[in-house]
């Protein structure tokens, strides 16, 4: 068995070496470097397209999905090896997608065979870009109080209402959406449906954030027609699908705590910006201590991420552990960016100058503030840990 | 002296608070940011401040001011922080009167400042973070002084009528001796000014002095002997930023408390959740303690107490931490809408971060306290 | 007016200079240096007795109480001057007493004239040492759920039940005690009574704490007879008296955050124990940063205490402000002692060696853990702030 | 290697956990403290550990041990922390086998240790806090070495059959070179041992070496070349203390969760209060993250990874902080009874504080990481 894995590693290494373009081994510096795919995908470089296509052809954009649905069909051990080998050459992810991290796992678990065959391969190949229709303006953390309705109209539903925080809804091709199909029950009156964002009656409006970016939209549905075949899971049992999916989302958000996407460590940045004193220590002694204490937590969380991944692979992870990972990772990331701002000093306050690359540092800092809100707030994660892991009594 | 505002100061707070709430608002901050290349503040608002007498708080009555002290100036600054009022108040109406008041430049500049006819900027910083080192050189010649070097993060420097410049007339690097202060006209030749918009929508300038010639009469105080006035100015500036931070903390707290009472989830106002209540209560305590530290520092400045530097460091560190906590809790408790530009809490976060950095952040001042206490 | 105060200051200074024994100008180092008074008062030195008697004769053990009840009858301004002049020569408090800090204010507000005349002068002179009968084993923070009963027996009550956390009950002469006089109402069934600890039917048992000290007792009442004339305030309205008294208690506990009782500042201790490096900084850079950040808060809280005192004097303090002071002061004091332990290193771990003075440092550290529990937990204070100051809605 | 316990390690954890819960308890800690002048541990318990094979985890099978690694030793230590088991396990069964295993002393000492017939103490510290400086001198003569100097905080030093002593054979002060390690019999002449009881009821000795003569064969490894083995020993010790701290954190957490579920106030279990739930959940996260860091460090030790020192520093700092948080929250959430000696949570607080200090506290290790990372 180990022999087979060693062989797989050798082959993978050779293949990556040959097929991963040099440009795709550079750190991701901004949004434009990320490949989201989709109907309107405009590659930022030929290499980006090439890398996506090569990986998609092997199903390695989603290596752990079954080959029957276009995935790589790899075993957990092989997936780890692929990741390790990609990390070794600093290969970028060929494709980032809510289809991979959120919808896919839910479809695999709750979808019909026809739904899997229709949607999963397109996700693997990056042909369809998905967005998420969960939150509503008056729902917030009380997600299940949603009021967007899907009324029965024979072979289809008629959807009316408004969603908010739909990431990149203005660029997405399809949406997976929670809708109310029964007003008499809060949790048992929700259904999970899929539909094309090109359907008549859909408008989107980007939301300007404090970072100055607009990755999220408000999305309005005005008598949108959705075929009943696009219902995932049972009617009125969409809450089960939603919870399952949220757990997967949390797992991916928690990685934000890693600072892996950062080209430089916080301490390296600070050293460059502030300089060292005669004793070889960062010139600002109290800030140095704060950075060192943060790096302790950062390195520990890196180990936590490794252990969590191995626990998931071994089937030994607590089902609510993603809540802990999401809570800790996002709070850590926020703390890291606070210190990055402190280390940056006056330069980090510059909002739109060329030399600050239009305020990359402060905008990233402000962006992190959403980490502990999106995908379930830190408070919701703490509630979940208290109840599901610690078994503390309800109020 | 009791550590309390007296009756006149309470009146000043009410007057300034009411006036600023009426004449400035977070909407102005967005307008300034989105409005192309403005001066970083609204000139009509500046003239209203003058008419209200608020620009003269620290200016002697003989020069058209109110002749009050740093507690009073802090009251105004706190209300400015609370309302996110944008203006060059700190440098023009606080630092300039403090420095120029006893100088030969008083007659020329203070009445103008009080009338709102002059904007003054303080050109001190030379590094990426606040550091008490001056490298910009002023070489004396027969005609005056020639300034060479660079300053950064000069707030409102691009529109200043007068720059107060800290320069080195002798000595090297981090020497305490050999420093001098100069009054340099904003439009001086060979002064290259690059305005940079900051995260809070204010504008700071990078200023390169390429052999800028100024007259002998530009010297403020005595040559080589400016370390005392500089330390005083930095203390005044830090205390002023602390007062404004305190106001930012209060403003963010008020927004958040209102949101906690109004926003309902799970059929109850979210402010009824105990976990949020405890965090809000903790924040209240931090703000109250910071308020005490800020008032203590202002009184120390007015009394010229030997404890001033420590009191100011405590105030700046506490107010900065309280404000940063207030905005972090504020954004988080607002949830999604707190992340949007449409809500005001994010603007408080940006202002808090900027003010926390000016004149040294909490880490800098904690270190300063340790040094002053000998450890 | 200022002239009169100046005169008062001069006279006070001269009197203190003449009457405060040199020994009473030394820092309080341990429990034995504190004068608690009472029937069994055994002065630790003749100077201690002399200082108590001289101050008591002028009513200056409780300078702000009316002279009619043995107090000093001073104005708030005069009290401040007396305090300042005592601080100037580092004079110790002549008397520490729960009678002064807790019972007295409640009696002044709720007591009958006869009760005031009987009890207050003895408190001023340190003749009677009081203890507090509030908490019960099953009540905790839910103080009003107390079950110690006082049954009506004509001209007296018969008290039965158990109290806990009665400070120095084994050394106290009298107790002020919350008892249940009506089982049908939780808060409106409580009364506030006073009785002599020498009454038949009372037993006390010291509680061994984690610090190794036993300042608190369990106290048992077995058919204790209490004259009805010892009821303070109205029958069944003792909860009002209790809340009033607790507010005063909080004010005095919050002072613990000041570290004024410490002979040396935390940083001075640390410098002595750890030493400075070549740059003149504490040898442990991260610990140094932690100490500096703590000292910022400590100095700020010192200003807070000053402002609070001035606000109280000026009648401008929020009635619930003691909760904030108690919360912040006690949490700060705990943090301070954690750092004192860190600074002390191995020496601070020594529990009963002579050179550690039988573990003064670790025992003091452990003692501080009670600060945020006794007199209403930190959690209770935060609840009070949230509701009474911030006006946040009830759950 | 996956960052997980394997099946055999899970079995070891269950075995050790069950055994230690049955054979040691917080009550033993009180008994040791109140029982006059004992050795700081219970000899029968020590012999039981030996019979169970647990003293031999790190000892080669040829010397009567199990021949396992630091992950396994950590599993035992974690369970000791959880049950507050008192014994010289860390120095005798972890440090001693690590150092003596490859030495000429292995044959003499390791079988004895595995059988529970020898207690070994590690004499390293010379300052009030952990510091990586050695001043105690070992002068070489014809007959051997003469040791002069003082060691402190030598756990179980007063009853040790063998002292492992770090000494300076050349160089001065904080030199890295010139260090040597010696195996010194506990009963050596001119060795003045003063036992001191610690806050956690353990006993550490101050040891004065007044020209203590030992033979040439007492040298462990090579003269002047001990810096490598010393760093390794300190890493092993710090990781071991971290594992025990992790267990202390878990034990305190378990006690507190049980209390939160059982104790009722205001007619509900106090564990239903959201503010306490959030704090308990945060503590859970800190402990889980610390657990990962500890396992990472143990694997690094077993792999002799070049990242070992950093991994160990992360583990010690995280486990110390997690344990301190667990006991602070534990005492506070217990309320009044948490302050009493009758409840166990206070004993966890005392043990956490002691272990957090040994081999360097969180502040020390954060500083070390900063140094190793060049800032």
């Amino acid at each position: 068995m180990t022999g087979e894995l060693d062989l797989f590693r050798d082959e993978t290494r050779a293949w990556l070496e040959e097929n991963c373009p040099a440009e795709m081994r550079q750190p991701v510096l901004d949004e434009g470097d990320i490949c989201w795919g989709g109907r309107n995908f405009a590659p930022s470089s030929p290499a980006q397209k090439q890398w996506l296509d090569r990986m998609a052809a092997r199903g390695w954009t989603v290596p752990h999905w079954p080959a029957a649905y276009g995935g790589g069909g790899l075993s957990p051990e092989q997936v780890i090896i692929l990741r390790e080998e990609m990390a070794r050459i600093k290969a970028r992810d060929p494709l980032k997608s809510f289809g991979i991290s959120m919808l896919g796992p839910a479809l695999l678990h709750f979808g019909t065979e026809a739904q899997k065959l229709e949607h999963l391969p397109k996700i693997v190949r990056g042909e369809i870009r998905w967005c998420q229709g969960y939150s509503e303006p008056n729902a917030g953390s009380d997600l299940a109080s949603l009021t967007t309705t899907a009324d029965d109209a024979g072979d289809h539903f008629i959807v009316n209402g408004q969603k908010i925080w739909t990431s990149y809804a203005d660029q997405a091709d399809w949406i997976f959406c929670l809708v109310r199909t029964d007003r008499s029950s809060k949790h048992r009156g929700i259904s999970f449906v899929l539909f094309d964002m090109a359907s008549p009656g859909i408008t989107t409006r980007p939301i300007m954030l404090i970072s100055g970016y607009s990755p999220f939209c408000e999305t309005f549905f005005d008598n949108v027609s959705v075929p009943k075949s696009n219902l995932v899971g049972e009617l009125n049992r969409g809450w089960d699908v939603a919870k399952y999916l949220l757990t997967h989302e949390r797992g991916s958000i928690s990685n934000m705590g890693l600072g892996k996407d950062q080209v430089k460590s916080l301490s390296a940045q600070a050293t460059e910006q502030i300089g060292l004193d005669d004793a070889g220590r960062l010139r600002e002694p109290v800030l140095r201590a704060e950075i060192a204490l943060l790096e302790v937590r950062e390195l520990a969380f890196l180990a936590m991420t490794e252990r969590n991944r191995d626990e998931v692979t071994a089937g030994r992870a607590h089902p609510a552990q993603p809540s802990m990972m999401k809570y800790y990772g996002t709070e850590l990331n926020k703390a890291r960016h606070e210190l990055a701002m402190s280390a940056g000093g006056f330069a980090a306050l510059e909002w739109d100058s060329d030399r600050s690359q239009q305020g990359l540092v402060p905008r990233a800092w402000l962006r992190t503030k959403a980490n502990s809100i999106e995908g379930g707030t830190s408070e919701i994660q703490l509630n979940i840990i208290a109840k599901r892991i610690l078994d503390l009594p309800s109020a | 002296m009791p550590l309390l505002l007296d009756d006149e100061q309470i009146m000043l707070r009410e007057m300034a608070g009411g006036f600023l709430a009426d004449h400035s608002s977070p909407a102005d901050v967005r307008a300034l940011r989105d409005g192309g290349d403005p001066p970083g503040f609204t000139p009509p608002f500046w003239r209203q401040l003058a008419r209200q007498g608020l620009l003269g708080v620290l200016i002697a009555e003989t020069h058209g001011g109110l002749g009050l002290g740093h507690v009073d100036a802090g009251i105004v600054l706190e209300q400015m922080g609370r309302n996110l009022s944008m203006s060059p108040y700190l440098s023009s109406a606080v630092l300039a009167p403090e420095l120029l008041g006893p100088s030969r430049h008083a007659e020329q500049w203070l009445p103008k400042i009080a009338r709102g006819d002059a904007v003054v900027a303080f050109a001190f910083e030379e590094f990426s973070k606040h550091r008490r080192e001056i490298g910009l050189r002023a070489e004396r010649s027969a005609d005056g002084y020639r300034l060479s070097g660079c300053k950064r993060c000069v707030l409102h420097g691009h529109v200043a009528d007068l720059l107060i410049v800290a320069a080195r007339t002798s000595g090297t690097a981090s020497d305490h001796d050999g420093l001098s202060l100069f009054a340099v006209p904003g439009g001086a030749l060979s002064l290259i000014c690059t305005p940079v918009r900051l995260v809070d929508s204010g504008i700071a300038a990078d200023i390169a002095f390429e052999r800028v010639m100024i007259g002998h009469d530009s010297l403020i105080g005595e040559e080589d002997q400016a370390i005392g006035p500089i330390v005083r100015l930095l203390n005044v500036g830090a205390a002023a930023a602390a007062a404004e931070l305190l106001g930012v903390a209060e403003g963010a707290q008020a927004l958040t408390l209102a949101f906690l009472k109004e926003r309902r989830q799970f059929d109850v106002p979210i402010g009824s959740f105990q976990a949020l209540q405890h965090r809000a209560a903790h924040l209240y305590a931090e703000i109250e303690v910071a308020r005490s530290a800020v008032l203590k520092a202002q009184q120390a400045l007015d009394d010229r107490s030997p404890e001033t530097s420590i009191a100011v460091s405590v105030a700046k560190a506490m107010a900065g931490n309280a404000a940063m906590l207030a905005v972090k809790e504020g954004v988080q408790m607002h949830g999604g809408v707190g992340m949007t530009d449409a809500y005001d809490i994010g603007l408080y976060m940006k202002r808090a971060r900027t003010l926390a950095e000016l004149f040294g952040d909490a880490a800098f001042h904690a270190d300063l306290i340790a040094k002053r206490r000998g450890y």
Side-chain angles (χ1 to χ4, degrees), chain A residues 173-223:
Chain A
D173 306 311
W174 274 66
I175 186 167
F176 47 95
C177 195
L178 291 177
V179 291
R180 180 152 302 287
T181 38
D182 184 346
R183 289 167 177 80
S184 67
S185 167
K186 186 172 176 179
H187 291 87
R188 289 276 182 108
I190 293 170
S191 297
F192 189 98
V193 295
L194 317 174
F195 51 96
D196 194 320
M197 287 293 280
S199 310
I202 301 181
T203 47
T204 61
R205 192 163 63 198
I207 302 168
M208 161 82 102
L209 295 188
I210 57 176
S211 60
Y213 300 133
S214 299
F216 300 108
C217 294
E218 289 179 290
T219 305
F220 302 87
F221 306 124
D222 180 20
N223 288 318

Side-chain angles (χ1 to χ4, degrees), chain A residues 370-383:
Chain A
N371 296 164
S372 52
I373 297 169
E374 60 201 341
T377 62
S378 281
E379 290 76 15
I380 291 287
Q381 309 312 329
L382 291 170
N383 285 344

Side-chain angles (χ1 to χ4, degrees), chain A residues 55-132:
Chain A
M55 286 290 276
R58 309 196 120 206
W60 281 10
T61 48
V62 199
H64 54 292
W65 284 2
Y69 308 127
L74 301 190
S75 70
E77 294 76 15
Q78 289 175 317
V79 172
I80 291 173
I81 288 170
L82 173 59
R83 279 205 208 107
E84 286 171 352
E85 291 302 317
M86 286 175 67
R88 208 182 54 81
I89 62 168
K90 300 196 172 84
R92 288 185 190 168
D93 281 337
L95 179 63
K96 184 168 170 179
S97 144
F98 299 130
I100 298 174
S101 59
M102 292 192 263
L103 177 63
L107 270 187
L108 282 167
H109 199 267
F110 294 95
T112 62
E113 190 59 22
Q115 288 169 337
K116 294 182 203 175
L117 286 170
E118 180 188 351
H119 297 294
L120 296 178
K122 294 180 190 165
I123 291 172
V124 169
R125 295 193 298 268
E127 289 170 8
I128 292 294
R129 181 168 179 182
W130 286 85
C131 67
Q132 176 194 46

Side-chain angles (χ1 to χ4, degrees), chain B residues 299-314:
Chain B
Q299 287 192 354
L301 281 169
D302 283 334
D303 295 347
R304 295 186 171 267
S305 151
E307 297 296 314
T308 301
S309 286
I310 287 209
V312 166
S313 283
V314 171

Side-chain angles (χ1 to χ4, degrees), chain B residues 295-371:
Chain B
L295 185 55
K296 186 84 187 167
Q298 292 160 343
Q299 287 192 354
L301 281 169
D302 283 334
D303 295 347
R304 295 186 171 267
S305 151
E307 297 296 314
T308 301
S309 286
I310 287 209
V312 166
S313 283
V314 171
K316 184 64 171 45
M318 282 300 295
N321 285 343
M324 289 307 298
L325 182 66
V327 297
K328 283 190 276 192
E329 289 288 45
V331 169
Q332 179 68 21
M333 290 185 188
H334 272 74
V337 297
M339 288 300 298
T340 66
D341 189 60
Y343 274 68
D344 293 341
I345 188 71
L347 298 174
Y348 281 87
M349 177 171 270
K350 293 168 177 180
R351 178 64 57 86
R353 180 39 92 174
T354 305
L355 288 166
E357 193 64 38
L358 300 179
F359 299 98
D361 63 10
F364 174 88
H365 284 286
D367 181 55
L368 209 56
I369 287 170
K371 280 184 189 142

